[in-house]
Amino acid sequence: MTAHLANTLSDKHSVTVVSLKMNENEIFFPLAPEVTHTVLSPAKGKAAVLHHIRELHRMIRDSETDIVINVDMGMGIYGVPACRGTGAKVITWEHGNYFNKWNSRLFPYIRRYAAKHGDATVVLTESDKKNYTDNIRTKAPIIVIPNPAERRDFSYDGHSKIILSAGALLPIKGYDRAIMAGKEIFLRHPDWQWHICGEGPERENLESMIKESHLEQNIILRGNVRDMAEEYRRSAMCVMTSHMEGLPMVLLEAKSFGLPLVSFDIMTGPRDIIRDGVNGFLAEKDNLTDLCAKICRLIEDDALRLDFSSKSDLDMDQFSMERIVEKWENLMETLQQKSH
């Protein structure tokens, strides 16, 4: 999402992407040539946060930056204090939802700090805006701007026997539930496979579960995949097993490639993307039996998959890049007008 927004805004603005750190000297999602990319200097220990705030402050002041966008609420602990005394307005961009703690006891406090002391908070859905307004008193506006997904010309593969999931291998993504569901699904449909694209700390645990369940031929951990477009094109459906999301890009992208969608009906995200029974299925939250039944129904009904695919572009206009960028432009213009 950082790359998407930076590349698009660079048509009209001078844009710099600042990375807190880089584990590799490579950007996975390419930035446009007009976008400047810089990495903060290495720092360790308790003073690292203060060191990076000072470095950001100098960068913002010296470049006379107008707007700083913290990509995710956790970055508010850097961007909000770094903007003080520079004249820059700071927006913090929620990529999960208000109740997502990212397994950190500190994160809820950082989220509140960013929302209360920044100039605006961007959330992904109307339901999460309500979460914020119900739980945080702040004078700064809470603005809903969804993630974008472009309409694509696609040719749905009605003969595919691949279930697709994608995302970091983290506990919150619930891939252990994919393996538990796979025990029933592949007992009934052994000629199908479930491909999970992404990498992360849960790999070893998931590999053990797959081996214990004797599903090595059915559930494939693909690791990081550069050409996700090809994965969408060769799949029969996209399934999301997450415990919590904001507005999941994987569902939006799969929708743009014409894939039928299946997801648990979690707090925010899937219901904004899937029309239940029209272009996908919403399974009851945490109900693995319901998820299995809906996946198997799609596997067993070729005509239903084709019908869902044909209706995948419903509601896509609200996620168009043009509309999303217009909302960002309006927000930035409003904040700048307030500073004059």
Side-chain angles (χ1 to χ4, degrees):
M1 285 313 309
T2 302
H4 271 316
L5 186 63
N7 292 345
T8 308
L9 290 178
S10 69
D11 290 341
K12 296 182 180 179
H13 305 275
S14 173
V15 178
T16 298
V17 173
V18 180
S19 295
L20 185 62
K21 60 182 179 179
M22 292 282 282
N23 294 327
E24 301 175 10
N25 296 321
E26 184 179 10
I27 299 174
F28 198 81
F29 299 100
L31 296 170
E34 297 79 15
V35 176
T36 302
H37 178 246
T38 186
V39 184
L40 297 182
S41 59
K44 294 181 180 179
K46 294 180 180 179
V49 173
L50 287 175
H51 171 84
H52 286 137
I53 289 170
R54 291 192 194 102
E55 188 175 356
L56 272 173
H57 177 82
R58 288 193 299 271
M59 196 180 298
I60 294 163
R61 181 196 63 202
D62 294 348
S63 63
E64 298 182 344
T65 294
D66 297 308
I67 300 285
V68 170
I69 300 172
N70 297 312
V71 181
D72 199 57
M73 299 304 291
M75 292 298 101
I77 199 170
Y78 298 94
V80 172
C83 285
R84 285 181 181 156
T86 66
K89 297 295 185 180
V90 59
I91 303 166
T92 308
W93 187 8
E94 173 69 84
H95 282 268
N97 68 46
Y98 177 81
F99 295 101
N100 192 327
K101 298 177 183 177
W102 298 109
N103 294 323
S104 166
R105 287 178 297 176
L106 287 176
F107 200 88
Y109 298 99
I110 296 172
R111 171 181 278 119
R112 293 180 71 85
Y113 169 78
K116 288 176 74 70
H117 298 285
D119 295 292
T121 300
V122 169
V123 298
L124 299 172
T125 63
E126 289 290 345
S127 55
D128 203 35
K129 179 178 180 178
K130 186 175 188 305
N131 292 337
Y132 268 81
T133 55
D134 285 350
N135 288 281
I136 296 180
R137 290 184 180 179
T138 175
K139 294 178 181 178
I142 310 293
I143 308 295
V144 179
I145 306 180
N147 289 331
E150 293 301 321
R151 290 179 183 271
R152 289 183 169 92
D153 292 327
F154 62 84
S155 179
Y156 177 68
D157 184 356
H159 301 291
S160 171
K161 294 185 177 182
I162 296 173
I163 301 164
L164 178 68
S165 294
L169 304 185
L170 298 169
I172 200 168
K173 297 296 184 180
Y175 290 130
D176 56 329
R177 306 199 287 187
I179 298 165
M180 289 186 280
K183 293 178 185 179
E184 179 180 335
I185 292 165
F186 299 120
L187 190 65
R188 294 166 61 177
H189 304 285
D191 55 335
W192 278 65
Q193 289 187 332
W194 195 328
H195 292 190
I196 299 173
C197 299
E199 199 51 82
E202 278 289 281
R203 172 176 275 276
E204 189 175 334
N205 178 46
L206 297 174
E207 286 176 339
S208 296
M209 287 185 67
I210 291 168
K211 189 173 182 179
E212 289 169 10
S213 304
H214 307 291
L215 291 173
E216 295 97 324
Q217 301 304 311
N218 299 103
I219 300 181
I220 315 297
L221 302 181
R222 298 285 308 282
N224 289 329
V225 174
R226 284 209 172 271
D227 189 0
M228 275 305 298
E230 182 59 28
E231 302 302 318
Y232 292 122
R233 290 189 189 100
R234 61 199 290 263
S235 300
M237 70 183 81
C238 180
V239 175
M240 196 176 76
T241 54
S242 296
H243 295 275
M244 190 177 287
E245 289 279 350
L247 187 68
M249 277 303 298
V250 65
L251 289 186
L252 282 174
E253 290 180 352
K255 179 182 174 75
S256 74
F257 280 97
L259 292 188
L261 309 175
V262 182
S263 172
F264 288 115
D265 190 14
I266 52 180
M267 183 185 298
T268 62
R271 189 165 284 275
D272 294 86
I273 299 169
I274 300 171
R275 288 202 193 184
D276 189 32
V278 176
N279 54 20
F281 285 128
L282 292 167
E284 182 183 344
K285 183 176 181 289
D286 300 329
N287 187 332
L288 208 56
T289 301
D290 192 29
L291 185 80
C292 287
K294 281 167 174 166
I295 293 172
C296 285
R297 185 176 168 193
L298 275 173
I299 288 175
E300 293 158 8
D301 193 335
D302 296 354
L304 184 62
R305 293 201 308 278
L306 288 168
D307 183 53
F308 278 12
S309 176
S310 70
K311 297 169 182 170
S312 65
D313 65 348
L314 292 172
D315 309 316
M316 284 296 288
D317 286 345
Q318 66 179 308
F319 303 114
S320 72
M321 181 61 85
E322 293 78 9
R323 185 172 292 191
I324 301 309
V325 170
E326 183 182 0
K327 291 184 177 184
W328 276 103
E329 294 278 10
N330 290 341
L331 172 58
M332 293 189 293
E333 185 178 345
T334 300
L335 292 179
Q336 285 183 281
Q337 287 173 351
K338 287 182 179 179
S339 64
H340 297 310

